[in-house]
């Protein structure tokens, strides 16, 4: 039994009827060629055989005398956590995404450990999928990615334990700070957050400073230094639209090489193109550029501990029609951020966590004018290994993040770059943002635009 | 645009994270013998072709200046309301019930009209199922049953519109009273409920009187005149366990004829046996008899309007080992209730609605001692036609109600008697009440016990 940290408790308190606070992965898998007809049945049985999870997957939330604790569940019930589903024929990916949209809109039951894995058979092309969700108070996106990857192998024949049975080494490592210490109640939680943001060198001050400098150095940063109001920043319903697709990592890499940008720059440019076109369709493109909040791992090695997570505000140049100008704006904005990168060594989790959990709070703290936004959406990119991966004997064809949207932040674009793919997962409020599937098409067009730009660029070799 | 009635608003306010307030039907169907492989696909397409629902199915909840209204949804999106699912092979009924348990635990999104129908293919034996849920503020169980039945036909070849496209004749008819008039806010709602229960002849007074008389006339009604505390009356988690099964209506009828009871008496005796045995298994059988709250339709004709819904408290005699004594206790209790039946002419919905929505309130009002219960669970029986029914060309093999459980009322037994079947749907909090599937087995044993009693009884003919 242990008390929740301030950060974890924050994820619990901020959860609302229209705003569940879990993160997930949708993994697309191809079973081995010689898989028997009952392959999925056996796979589910195998997963359920890991019926004694390790912490935190065996712990549930309990409130005693007003304080929240994680307590071990003595009667852990694996059937509550591993679910076997099937798509109706023909099992189009579109139907899979609709299913994931519904599942992601559904709350986890706080009377049980806060995670669930669905194995979904019947995806067209003989494929299967998993959708694995975990409450944000149990694992953040980075930890979730790491755990997911640790259950995969480069060897098709190697069967590793599922995430909930992975030994705790390297799990939930967080630098100790004011937010990761236990806290006992809502009032204390709020004061602790205030303390964290008010501390020197505080995140808020860093972000404010960053924005002031941006305003001075980048003429594209229009006056007010705030993100423009947009349809992306309306309040949300409880329903979701989730779409996902893979794009070619080598294509992005090649274009970036010619155009003088990283893969991440190319990803941001793809997003900028897609958002611009999507909002033009809706006649809702702001005159000022959209600003993306981009959590970035600054991990330089392969270690699983000691991540450094930064957070930058990127001018997406969505007001610019010329693709080269737009790309240059993005690259300049990223470069500027990098030079004075907010490392948040002590409070590394703060920026990332606060971004996802309380954009309103962060916005308020980073911008003096009430009602103005510091950023319009979060674009999150988690890089992974470049080798092919296998899970339970299946090849991993896609590993798409499913993130969180909140009131005032109705769209989230998250992606992993793995093997030779960039796996995009786009989640939105179904009601606020119509036809989000178009964003996928436009991401593809955005990549094609970058390739065309690269083809026209003067050859350096 | 119209304001919500007090009753409907009550269903909205009482909804909590662990306590969604929708009711549903699980229907088990056999497609025609000559159904093509894409039969279910076509059926779903046909359902989705009814894309312009009639009120109230085209209305969503909207709050303006603190008051709640039903407003027409101009951009009604049928894809949000008709969902196509499939069970993994072999599609056991057990897996179907687990799926329904999960779906029933999930809230409807208040940003959309508050109903959803799932068509589930792949049930073993070539069958399919539908699970149709509607928020209790939109339709109560009786109205839901009536609408469901009106979309079915005695003619296998007749295709009728689905419930949301059934013309409004006979829908949501409710005698005008203090609870069915519009109301504007929470404070007024509470005072109106107080008024309704305090009115003369008020429901609460009637129930109190009923219990006083019961205490005098039935020695089995132990002192305190309250239902005993039991595991059925603990608080609940957000997870459900739903189980359902059909039993033979002729068997129950035949036994009842010999034993001097109605089908409803037999049903209550089956429940009494099942609850007794289930609680003995858990070493949790109270010494005092469990009391069932039984909403009863007093409709005497086939009309769809002018229902009269009564509510009685039945001593289930669960403390009695002897089956005949137990049955006699039940029959005497029902008879006693009938003689002074609480008809609630003006406030007919009050008893039924309040039972489902606020057992705590009703308990409090009917029993002066704080913390005591007037009843331990609701057992609800809705009779239907005796002819075979068809829906979209499929024969209806089962029509199982899926009702509501609330904090303090962790089990609900609902049933329909249709054609030659009694279709039981038992829903419980998954965490509070373990292994609820046993209740089904024990219902069957309970029926067998009644048949054995009847076989031993002196022949009257």
């Amino acid at each position: 039994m242990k008390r929740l940290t301030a950060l974890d408790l924050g994820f619990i308190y901020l959860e609302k009827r229209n705003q569940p606070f879990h993160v997930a992965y949708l993994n697309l898998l191809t079973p081995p060629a010689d898989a028997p007809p009952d392959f999925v049945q056996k796979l589910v049985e195998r997963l359920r055989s890991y019926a004694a999870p390790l912490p935190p997957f065996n712990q549930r939330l309990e409130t005693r005398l007003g304080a929240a604790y994680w307590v071990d569940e003595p009667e852990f019930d694996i059937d509550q956590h591993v679910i076997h589903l099937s798509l109706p024929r023909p099992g189009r990916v579109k139907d899979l995404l609709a299913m994931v949209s519904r599942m992601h809109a559904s709350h986890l039951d706080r009377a049980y450990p806060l995670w669930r894995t669905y194995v979904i058979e019947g995806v067209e092309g003989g494929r299967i999928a998993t959708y694995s969700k975990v409450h944000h108070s149990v694992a953040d996106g980075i930890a979730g990615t790491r755990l997911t990857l640790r259950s995969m192998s480069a060897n098709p024949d190697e069967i590793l334990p599922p995430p909930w049975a992975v030994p705790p080494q390297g799990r939930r490592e967080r630098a100790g700070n004011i937010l990761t210490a236990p806290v006992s109640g809502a009032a204390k939680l709020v004061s602790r957050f205030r303390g964290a943001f008010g501390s020197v060198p505080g995140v808020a001050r860093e972000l404010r400073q960053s924005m002031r400098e941006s305003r001075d150095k980048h003429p594209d940063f229009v006056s007010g230094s705030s993100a423009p109001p947009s349809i992306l920043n309306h309040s949300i319903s409880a329903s979701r639209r989730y779409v996902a697709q893979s794009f070619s990592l080598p294509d992005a890499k090649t274009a970036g090489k010619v155009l003088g940008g990283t893969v991440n720059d190319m990803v941001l440019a793809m997003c900028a193109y897609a958002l611009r076109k999507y909002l033009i369709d809706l006649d809702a493109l702001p005159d000022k550029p959209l600003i993306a909040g981009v959590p970035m791992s600054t991990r330089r090695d392969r270690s699983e501990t000691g991540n450094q997570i930064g957070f930058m505000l990127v001018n997406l140049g969505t007001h610019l029609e010329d693709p080269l100008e737009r790309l240059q704006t993005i690259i300049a904005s990223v470069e500027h951020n990098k030079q004075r990168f907010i490392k948040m060594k002590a409070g590394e989790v703060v920026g990332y966590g606060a971004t996802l959990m309380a954009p309103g709070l962060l916005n308020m703290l980073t911008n003096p004018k009430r009602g103005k936004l510091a950023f319009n959406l979060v674009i999150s990119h988690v890089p992974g290994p470049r080798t092919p991966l296998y899970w339970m004997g299946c090849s991993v064809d896609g590993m798409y993040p499913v993130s969180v949207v909140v009131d005032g932040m109705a769209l989230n674009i998250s992606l992993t770059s793995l093997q030779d793919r960039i796996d995009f997962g786009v989640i939105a409020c179904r009601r606020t943002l119509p036809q989000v599937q178009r964003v996928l098409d436009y991401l593809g067009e955005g990549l094609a635009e970058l390739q065309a730009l690269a083809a026209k660029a003067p050859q350096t070799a």
Side-chain angles (χ1 to χ4, degrees), chain A residues 5-7 175-183 189 191-197 199 346-347 350:
Chain A
T5 67
L7 192 64
N177 72 39
I178 198 166
L179 285 187
T180 55
V183 72
L189 177 73
S191 77
R192 195 167 290 182
F193 266 92
R194 286 218 184 97
F197 284 107
S199 65
V350 177

Side-chain angles (χ1 to χ4, degrees), chain A residues 155-448:
Chain A
N155 175 356
D157 299 323
E158 187 177 27
I159 307 291
L160 293 171
W164 61 89
V166 169
Q169 170 240 340
R171 181 191 293 162
R172 281 173 71 72
E173 60 283 355
R174 282 174 176 172
N177 72 39
I178 198 166
L179 285 187
T180 55
V183 72
S184 63
K188 279 187 186 158
L189 177 73
V190 169
S191 77
R192 195 167 290 182
F193 266 92
R194 286 218 184 97
F197 284 107
S199 65
V200 177
V203 174
R205 206 195 56 173
E206 289 290 321
L207 284 173
R208 272 199 299 269
Q209 180 64 14
S210 168
M211 291 183 70
R212 267 197 296 273
E213 294 195 15
S214 297
R215 189 175 45 194
D216 298 340
K217 293 187 184 173
H218 296 284
D220 297 329
F221 236 111
V222 283
S223 71
S225 80
S226 69
S230 85
I231 192 177
L232 307 182
N233 305 104
H234 290 181
S235 59
I236 60 169
S237 77
S239 297
R240 300 288 172 268
R241 181 84 75 182
Y242 178 69
V243 292
Q245 195 172 314
S246 298
F247 297 94
S248 161
L249 181 57
D251 283 359
K253 208 177 265 178
T254 305
K257 221 167 184 177
V258 175
L259 297 167
T262 63
V263 167
N264 199 55
D265 295 335
M266 296 302 110
V267 161
L268 291 171
M270 288 166 70
C271 293
Y273 175 95
L275 290 167
R276 175 180 158 80
K277 194 145 181 199
Y278 173 72
L279 291 174
I280 286 174
D281 284 352
L282 298 176
D283 198 17
L285 181 69
D287 293 336
K288 298 202 290 177
L290 292 178
I291 308 299
V294 182
M296 287 207 76
S297 169
T298 63
R299 184 171 53 171
R300 297 267 174 260
D301 55 20
R302 294 286 109 204
S303 72
E304 288 190 320
T305 56
N307 296 295
Q308 292 192 307
I309 301 162
F311 184 78
M312 50 183 189
L313 297 175
V314 177
N315 179 341
L316 290 178
T318 45
H319 61 313
L320 299 168
E321 197 182 337
D322 184 81
L324 191 58
E325 276 183 60
R326 207 183 312 125
L327 178 63
Q328 284 166 342
T329 300
I330 291 167
I331 291 177
S333 181
V334 169
E335 267 311 304
H336 176 80
N337 267 283
K338 275 186 184 161
Q339 281 162 27
R340 51 185 310 289
F341 203 89
I342 307 153
K343 284 202 186 62
M344 291 185 266
K345 261 175 195 150
E348 59 183 7
V349 188
V350 177
Y352 178 70
T355 304
L356 280 180
M357 74 188 284
L361 179 63
L362 194 60
N363 271 324
M364 208 173 67
L365 286 161
T366 53
N367 197 300
K369 288 182 195 158
R370 196 183 155 79
K372 295 286 179 76
L373 299 160
F375 52 96
N376 296 96
L377 81 160
V378 170
I379 300 176
S380 175
H381 175 191
V382 180
R386 294 286 172 263
T387 52
L389 289 173
Y390 296 87
W391 182 77
M392 299 279 162
C394 305
S395 76
V396 179
D397 302 340
M399 189 172 149
Y400 307 97
V402 196
S403 192
V404 177
V405 294
V406 295
D407 276 330
M409 208 62 73
L411 181 74
N412 174 294
I413 302 180
S414 290
L415 52 132
T416 54
S417 49
L418 282 146
Q419 196 180 340
D420 57 353
R421 307 180 317 269
I422 313 175
D423 294 343
F424 273 88
V426 179
I427 189 150
C429 165
R430 180 189 168 103
R431 193 170 175 88
T432 306
L433 298 175
Q435 294 171 298
V436 163
Q437 64 275 21
R438 286 188 187 169
V439 172
L440 285 187
D441 298 335
Y442 297 157
L443 284 170
E445 288 182 17
L447 179 54

